[in-house]
Amino acid sequence: MSAVPPSAPTPQEPVEPPQLLQLGLDDEPCLRADAARNRARLLEAAAGLVAARGADAVTMEEVAAAAGVGKGTVFRRFGDRTGLLMALLDRSEKKLQAAFLSGPPPLGPGAPPAERLRAFGCAALRRTVEDLELQLAAEPEAGRRFTVPPYRVRHHHVAMLLREAVPDADCDVLAHTLLAQLDPALVHHLKDQCGMPAQRLEDAWTDLVDRITGTTA
């Protein structure tokens, strides 16, 4: 007999607001001075290699050599290549997080939930388009894709807004469905392989939010 699947969370389930520093990509303020210098040197070397050769060509060994440190130092600091590339994306990700968690409306608090959802998707799409090559190279493996801190923060935020806008829906699952439209691989396919302009992707996001929430922009 198959196991009974766990029940979906109730729409009214209380949600604590995500903490930017706790769910950020790294714990930079807590680093020792020498560790912080090593980290900065490694990121500078990685950024230089990305600019010169593209993100796909960057390896942990090359970053270590360019920074003048041992390969083990790179692995201890970032874990793996994905962790290194995600650290390069950290600044723009934290800027986006700060904007939707505590910035001015409509992206930040103070606007109706559907309006905030529209603004969030458009802001996230613009960031993805700007850093698309690096975003694709930093995509976590399948087992980690939905557990890395940036995705968890985004999912928490979208689910919270959905609970306000459509409280009778399974907002936890619906948030994953919405976020799928912001996936870098899909953005790359639609924009670069299909030739769709970025504005069309933003319009499609807005239309999807409108249909789900029963509102109009």
Side-chain angles (χ1 to χ4, degrees):
M1 181 180 296
S2 61
V4 177
S7 59
T10 60
Q12 291 79 21
E13 181 180 358
V15 178
E16 293 295 328
Q19 298 297 315
L20 177 63
L21 294 180
Q22 291 180 4
L23 295 185
L25 293 180
D26 67 322
D27 202 14
E28 192 172 355
C30 298
L31 294 178
R32 301 189 316 271
D34 58 339
R37 285 193 295 270
N38 277 343
R39 182 182 186 281
R41 188 160 65 246
L42 287 166
L43 288 176
E44 183 179 354
L49 289 170
V50 169
R53 301 174 52 191
D56 286 338
V58 175
T59 67
M60 302 289 267
E61 292 80 4
E62 289 174 320
V63 171
V69 302
K71 183 175 68 173
T73 300
V74 190
F75 281 97
R76 284 193 299 273
R77 175 55 54 205
F78 301 106
D80 55 18
R81 182 174 178 275
T82 296
L84 171 63
L85 296 176
M86 288 182 69
L88 286 176
L89 292 166
D90 179 64
R91 180 173 299 178
S92 60
E93 178 65 26
K94 282 186 174 177
K95 183 178 179 181
L96 175 62
Q97 288 181 14
F100 68 70
L101 290 175
S102 58
L107 184 54
E115 190 173 347
R116 293 190 67 194
L117 278 170
R118 296 185 200 103
F120 167 77
C122 291
L125 279 167
R126 290 175 196 136
R127 176 182 179 264
T128 296
V129 169
E130 289 171 2
D131 296 322
L132 187 54
E133 182 187 1
L134 192 53
Q135 292 249 8
L136 290 171
E139 277 280 272
E141 60 188 15
R144 296 174 53 200
R145 179 170 297 179
F146 305 109
T147 61
V148 292
Y151 185 87
R152 286 164 48 210
V153 174
R154 291 184 178 204
H155 177 268
H156 195 121
H157 178 67
V158 171
M160 177 190 69
L161 295 177
L162 286 170
R163 287 186 177 98
E164 295 181 37
V166 282
D168 58 337
D170 186 341
C171 297
D172 186 59
V173 174
L174 189 56
H176 287 295
T177 303
L178 267 173
L179 287 170
Q181 190 165 335
L182 307 179
D183 181 75
L186 178 61
V187 173
H188 166 66
H189 170 68
L190 296 177
K191 177 179 172 293
D192 296 341
Q193 296 179 328
C194 298
M196 295 185 186
Q199 185 60 53
R200 182 175 175 183
L201 304 185
E202 293 184 27
D203 292 343
W205 169 269
T206 298
D207 179 63
L208 182 59
V209 170
D210 290 350
R211 292 174 186 273
I212 288 174
T213 61
T215 60
T216 56

